[in-house]
Amino acid sequence: MKRLIRWSNWELKNEFIACGYFTGMLFWYCIIEIISGVHEVSILIMLEMFLTNYALSTLQQILLNSDKEYTTKSFIVRGTIISIISIIVVLITSELGGWFKGMPIWASIATYILLIASYVTVWILFKLGKKYDTKELNEQLENFKHHMEGSK
């Protein structure tokens, strides 16, 4: 039962991250389509985008587990590897899926720049979240110590 709960928690985190990436990608894609004068989005492209982001989120969870501690160097190396793999996968998938077919060249370039910015943002937020959690745990431990000393 404990394994099922742990896996479910892991999966919920994974889906949350995947949906965040997917939402950003789809929003940007829709903006580009509107600028290009298109007011419809292919359901197949949306499915490809979601599955791509889900796979990348799964890879991220495996290579950069949010429950583990990493040295700064290891964190940067892992984050860089995941970002490079992610961009390559999106490049290949978008080309095979024809995501930018008929769009101006700036659309795909802007999308890839947006992806890089979103990955960097995720790594920064990930690192800041860890720092905040550590600070809060230390404060709670200090408060507990003071409480224990006061009750003696």
Side-chain angles (χ1 to χ4, degrees):
M1 185 65 158
K2 193 175 189 179
R3 280 182 121 164
L4 177 64
I5 292 170
R6 196 173 342 166
W7 177 82
S8 296
N9 186 38
W10 184 90
E11 180 60 25
L12 284 172
K13 283 182 189 178
N14 191 43
E15 288 178 22
F16 180 75
I17 292 168
C19 287
Y21 287 150
F22 170 66
T23 301
M25 183 181 281
L26 182 61
F27 177 78
W28 180 246
Y29 185 79
C30 289
I31 295 295
I32 293 169
E33 287 284 63
I34 289 169
I35 291 170
S36 300
V38 177
H39 298 283
E40 299 169 353
V41 178
S42 166
I43 292 173
L44 184 57
I45 288 176
M46 288 174 48
L47 179 61
E48 290 169 358
M49 285 180 173
F50 177 75
L51 292 176
T52 300
N53 283 296
Y54 185 83
L56 293 175
S57 174
T58 302
L59 178 67
Q60 174 185 324
Q61 288 278 81
I62 291 168
L63 292 180
L64 197 58
N65 187 336
S66 61
D67 296 331
K68 292 183 180 177
E69 289 293 326
Y70 298 101
T71 64
T72 302
K73 181 181 178 184
S74 176
F75 180 79
I76 291 170
V77 168
R78 287 171 180 262
T80 302
I81 289 169
I82 293 168
S83 295
I84 290 169
I85 290 170
S86 297
I87 290 169
I88 290 169
V89 167
V90 170
L91 280 167
I92 292 169
T93 308
S94 66
E95 192 61 34
L96 293 175
W99 297 1
F100 302 107
K101 190 176 182 181
M103 290 185 181
I105 189 73
W106 66 263
S108 56
I109 294 169
T111 300
Y112 302 133
I113 291 170
L114 180 71
L115 282 174
I116 293 168
S118 67
Y119 295 139
V120 169
T121 301
V122 167
W123 305 134
I124 291 170
L125 291 174
F126 181 79
K127 198 70 168 167
L128 289 174
K130 283 284 194 184
K131 192 178 207 178
Y132 175 79
D133 286 347
T134 300
K135 181 182 174 192
E136 193 159 299
L137 284 172
N138 286 335
E139 287 174 2
Q140 289 174 359
L141 179 60
E142 199 59 40
N143 288 338
F144 178 76
K145 284 180 184 177
H146 287 305
H147 177 72
M148 292 305 289
E149 290 172 358
S151 65
K152 286 185 179 179

